[in-house]
Amino acid sequence: MELSVYNIKGEATSKKVTLNAEIFGIEPNDHAIYLDVKQHNANGRQGTAKSKERAEVARTTKKLKKQKGTGGARSGSMKSPLHRGGGTVFGPEPRDYSFKVNKKTKRLARLSALTYKAQANGITIVEDFQIDTPKTSQFIGIVNNLKVADKKSLVIVAEYDKSLYLSSRNFDRSKVVTVSELNTYDILNAKNLVFMSSSINKLEEFYKD
């Protein structure tokens, strides 16, 4: 697939970029995508949910009534889950939700997600640009020119650019990441991927066998 390269004014230049079929044209694997996205969401969970069991609540252990002769069930202390304010039975405990996904599976998932974006014409190539002073309005102007400001977009750069990152931080419909930070969830969550010219070469190097 061959795509035109745009400048920051949103105008097509004479340059063309051919997307590597080994990255943007593979046979997508939906199960690999599922596993990678599931791991991404699981790793983001805090796992700090906690409730007190009967041994942890601060209540009296005095026997409430005599053992026999009341006609009712035997009653223990006020810590019992049967009483209001008592402990919780089998309540949540702090835990780690993260799990392992093999590197090859994660790689396959990302390439599958990139392929889906290419098939949906959701990829835009823009000439390398820099923002000298962090300014959100300047960044919004660029994404407006590229016609991706009204939808979620992911801007992929070859190397970390602090000014560009700070300029995009307050614009909630766009996110700037480096090639090495690219993940399946972000690719699928974005409606449009905006690659800087140099990031395409970096991506090919990154996924080179």
Side-chain angles (χ1 to χ4, degrees):
M1 180 184 293
E2 190 175 69
L3 298 178
S4 298
V5 178
Y6 293 84
N7 58 29
I8 59 174
K9 295 180 180 179
E11 302 166 341
T13 66
S14 59
K15 300 175 184 176
K16 301 283 185 179
V17 169
T18 302
L19 299 181
N20 191 331
E22 294 181 0
I23 297 175
F24 296 94
I26 70 165
E27 182 67 32
N29 187 305
D30 291 340
H31 187 63
I33 290 176
Y34 162 75
L35 290 175
D36 201 14
V37 172
K38 182 180 178 182
Q39 188 205 35
H40 180 276
N41 291 333
N43 289 350
R45 296 184 68 174
Q46 287 184 320
T48 55
K50 174 73 172 72
S51 64
K52 290 185 178 181
E53 297 189 356
R54 64 183 301 163
E56 299 171 308
V57 294
R59 304 208 73 186
T60 178
T61 56
K62 180 182 177 182
K63 190 167 180 63
L64 304 179
K65 60 184 180 182
K66 62 181 183 177
Q67 179 85 341
K68 298 179 180 294
T70 64
R74 294 172 292 182
S75 181
S77 72
M78 289 298 290
K79 291 186 175 187
S80 170
L82 301 177
H83 298 294
R84 184 173 182 175
T88 302
V89 181
F90 303 128
E93 294 285 341
R95 56 170 288 190
D96 181 10
Y97 287 91
S98 64
F99 62 93
K100 182 179 181 297
V101 173
N102 292 334
K103 287 183 179 179
K104 288 185 177 180
T105 303
K106 293 174 76 68
R107 172 193 168 94
L108 177 59
R110 289 166 191 171
L111 297 183
S112 297
L114 290 170
T115 297
Y116 276 131
K117 277 290 177 281
Q119 292 174 350
N121 296 320
I123 295 177
T124 302
I125 312 293
V126 64
E127 289 180 330
D128 287 7
F129 65 89
Q130 288 185 327
I131 297 178
D132 297 330
T133 303
K135 202 165 187 179
T136 303
S137 60
Q138 189 175 349
F139 178 81
I140 293 176
I142 294 172
V143 294
N144 269 324
N145 293 338
L146 296 171
K147 297 181 174 57
V148 296
D150 61 336
K151 59 194 82 171
K152 281 189 177 181
S153 60
L154 189 67
V155 180
I156 300 107
V157 297
E159 302 293 341
Y160 175 71
D161 185 332
K162 184 176 181 179
S163 293
L164 182 60
Y165 169 74
L166 293 176
S167 299
S168 67
R169 189 170 55 175
N170 289 332
F171 186 55
D172 59 357
R173 289 197 296 274
S174 190
K175 181 179 179 181
V176 175
V177 297
T178 62
V179 169
S180 60
E181 294 172 332
L182 203 57
N183 63 71
T184 306
Y185 178 86
D186 284 342
I187 294 170
L188 297 176
N189 190 45
K191 185 73 175 177
N192 200 286
L193 305 182
V194 180
F195 282 92
M196 284 199 187
S197 296
S198 59
S199 66
I200 290 291
N201 296 329
K202 188 78 173 180
L203 189 71
E204 291 180 356
E205 292 177 9
F206 193 79
Y207 286 106
K208 184 169 58 177
D209 290 329

